[in-house]
Amino acid sequence: MSQTTAAAAWTNWGGTAQCTPTELITPQSVDELADAVRTAAASGQTVKPAGAGHSFSQIAVAPGIQVKLSGLRGLISVDADRKRVTLGAGTHLHEIPAILEPLGLGMANLGDIDKQTLAGATSTGTHGTGGAFGGISTQIRGVTLVDGTGTVRVIGEDDPDLKAAALGLGSLGVLTQITIQCVDAFSIRAEEGPGEADETFSTFLERVENVDHYEFYWFPHTTKTLVKTNTRVPRDTPATGPSDLRRYIDDELLSNKLLGALCKVGARSPRTVPSINQVVGRALSARTYTDRSDRIFISDRDVRFREMEYAVPLEAVPDTLREIRAMIDRRGHKVSFPIEVRAAAADDLMLSTASDRASGYIAVHRFSGDDVAASEAYFRDVEDIMMSHAGRPHWGKMHTRDADYLRSVYPRFDEFLEVRNRFDPQRVFTNPYLQTALGS
């Protein structure tokens, strides 16, 4: 039976969104969810799944009924011939490798965090990096959802509505099942090392073209970058590289605990941030290791932060970065977190940040303990630069863009709205974020 309880106050992981829903439901079947949506629609209430709360934007805020999808998760079916699996939409990304490994399968690409639900990650456009690879939503070959009338819709790969539903912002319905196109399991050889900012910026396009999965981090107030080159290798390639102890030191003590401590120092005394970043930049070292793909793609992120990320045309990335660097110096921002830079192939999803264009992603962060006004000023200044390059904000990260702007950068924006009108004519799934981003 579906569990209905009085909802407690909800806050997302980054502390950037809060709400107190009128009630919380945890359906154990698609039929139970459909009944709840029909009841909500009849009484004029709104419905919103919250996922794992890893969006920094207000997209998951539930002013009405909040839905928890933990009762709709796990493996539903396998199509071995086509290397596809159908999963409950509430399945967390970190649960999927254990499901796929016995099948000899893997996901074609992943982002660097796996705490999200599959529904939440795909609905907000979560992506990794790789010039020949799209975001996770591009791996979808079918979905089942409950629309705004309480109707259960099954949308297959030949249905043109899938181009909307595969990345629907939660505005078309509540996803219940998702079919993913997998690939043969593979491993990755990861090479990480320090670089110089000018060279890293200038060679970005070349490296994206020639490396399977390329990304880098630039440390503001320094000339230093951390460059990551990931090369796909056969699954039976032996695991190599640093010992478990060395990886614990690098990934947990240095990347999380030490970073957290330094960020706290910078938050208390912003004038020390440039010096701290200089020390961190000089301490970067090289390492090479090989492991199962998901273990390379995913990184632990324990330090709380706020994030804005924009997609710009791939060829605009070097100039955009130079403009951000000049702006930080000119405006005197003190930024302790590195800037992350990635890439993705063009796709044909209506609201994908890579829709119809190869895209570069530039993500800027501020430590959660930083002064809020200073953080917001930094994000505004970055956003101004992104807009000058026809930037598209990541749907799950902080931004201030509305429907008028988004229509100007998404060629299929109005086509998506037509699908929304059919799927949710009463706006059962709306919230303040969607009212701004998509219009009424």
Side-chain angles (χ1 to χ4, degrees):
M1 293 291 294
S2 176
Q3 301 172 16
T4 301
T5 61
W10 173 89
T11 302
N12 67 343
W13 182 87
T16 57
Q18 302 84 28
C19 67
T20 301
T22 57
E23 64 182 84
L24 170 66
I25 63 172
T26 309
Q28 302 300 304
S29 71
V30 176
D31 288 341
E32 288 179 7
L33 174 61
D35 287 342
V37 171
R38 282 192 291 270
T39 299
S43 61
Q45 298 184 80
T46 58
V47 177
K48 181 63 60 179
H54 264 267
S55 288
F56 296 89
S57 70
Q58 307 284 316
I59 195 168
V61 166
I65 298 171
Q66 187 178 64
V67 180
K68 185 177 181 181
L69 290 175
S70 57
L72 301 174
R73 49 199 266 251
L75 180 65
I76 295 172
S77 65
V78 178
D79 182 341
D81 291 338
R82 295 196 289 180
K83 302 177 184 177
R84 295 179 180 179
V85 297
T86 298
L87 303 166
T91 307
H92 289 263
L93 295 182
H94 64 78
E95 297 176 300
I96 297 177
I99 294 172
L100 297 184
E101 187 174 24
L103 304 173
L105 300 175
M107 294 187 70
N109 201 7
L110 285 168
D112 56 6
I113 296 176
D114 64 356
K115 301 299 188 293
Q116 311 98 312
T117 62
L118 182 58
T122 55
S123 293
T124 57
T126 296
H127 62 91
T129 191
F133 300 90
I136 298 177
S137 300
T138 66
Q139 300 168 40
I140 292 178
R141 296 297 179 268
V143 302
T144 300
L145 60 79
V146 177
D147 72 12
T149 69
T151 300
V152 178
R153 291 180 181 249
V154 179
I155 305 171
E157 65 177 322
D158 296 326
D159 189 329
D161 287 338
L162 187 62
K163 302 303 181 184
L167 203 169
L169 313 186
S171 69
L172 306 181
V174 181
L175 293 166
T176 62
Q177 298 181 13
I178 300 175
T179 298
I180 295 291
Q181 178 66 60
C182 300
V183 297
D184 290 330
F186 62 99
S187 292
I188 288 176
R189 184 177 70 251
E191 299 172 82
E192 302 176 2
E196 291 295 320
D198 285 337
E199 180 187 12
T200 305
F201 294 179
S202 297
T203 60
F204 175 71
L205 300 178
E206 176 186 350
R207 294 189 181 187
V208 166
E209 184 177 357
N210 293 296
V211 174
D212 290 335
H213 304 278
Y214 176 73
E215 65 182 306
F216 71 86
Y217 295 84
W218 168 58
F219 295 80
H221 315 296
T222 81
T223 62
K224 303 300 180 183
T225 59
L226 175 64
V227 174
K228 293 189 173 186
T229 298
N230 289 340
T231 303
R232 299 161 82 97
V233 296
R235 178 66 188 94
D236 58 2
T237 303
T240 62
S243 65
D244 289 343
L245 176 60
R246 170 65 190 277
R247 291 185 68 170
Y248 172 78
I249 292 172
D250 287 347
D251 298 336
E252 181 60 28
L253 295 184
L254 296 182
S255 295
N256 283 307
K257 290 184 170 56
L258 179 58
L259 175 62
L262 293 176
C263 285
K264 290 177 182 177
V265 171
R268 289 194 299 266
S269 179
R271 62 183 177 81
T272 65
V273 168
S275 296
I276 291 172
N277 285 10
Q278 291 284 351
V279 172
V280 172
R282 287 194 294 269
L284 297 173
S285 60
R287 63 175 182 167
T288 300
Y289 52 103
T290 302
D291 210 334
R292 196 175 73 188
S293 59
D294 61 282
R295 293 173 180 160
I296 300 294
F297 284 135
I298 303 302
S299 301
D300 287 331
R301 293 286 186 269
D302 292 337
V303 181
R304 303 279 172 146
F305 55 86
R306 288 167 278 185
E307 182 176 358
M308 169 183 285
E309 182 179 61
Y310 265 76
V312 298
L314 185 63
E315 64 275 9
V317 167
D319 284 344
T320 304
L321 288 168
R322 295 181 188 108
E323 291 173 31
I324 292 173
R325 178 172 60 182
M327 178 274 294
I328 290 173
D329 292 341
R330 182 177 67 255
R331 299 278 288 165
H333 293 296
K334 300 297 185 287
V335 185
S336 56
F337 255 81
I339 292 175
E340 183 179 18
V341 184
R342 294 177 288 174
D347 63 54
D348 60 357
L349 302 182
M350 293 182 190
L351 291 188
S352 167
T353 46
S355 182
D356 291 338
R357 74 182 191 194
S359 295
Y361 293 90
I362 300 175
V364 298
H365 315 71
R366 291 299 297 252
F367 175 53
S368 60
D370 284 349
D371 178 78
V372 173
S375 297
E376 290 179 348
Y378 174 57
F379 288 141
R380 282 196 305 270
D381 287 343
V382 170
E383 193 169 40
D384 286 343
I385 293 171
M386 299 299 191
M387 287 190 297
S388 72
H389 292 282
R392 298 170 178 170
H394 188 302
W395 299 106
K397 300 180 183 179
M398 299 174 72
H399 68 91
T400 65
R401 298 301 84 208
D402 61 13
D404 288 340
Y405 174 82
L406 295 168
R407 179 177 286 105
S408 74
V409 294
Y410 281 95
R412 303 183 71 181
F413 189 82
D414 287 319
E415 188 179 349
F416 181 88
L417 296 186
E418 291 174 2
V419 178
R420 185 190 187 204
N421 287 337
R422 287 191 282 111
F423 278 57
D424 187 20
Q426 295 180 227
R427 301 296 188 259
V428 174
F429 305 114
T430 194
N431 65 4
Y433 176 92
L434 293 177
Q435 289 168 0
T436 297
L438 298 180
S440 61

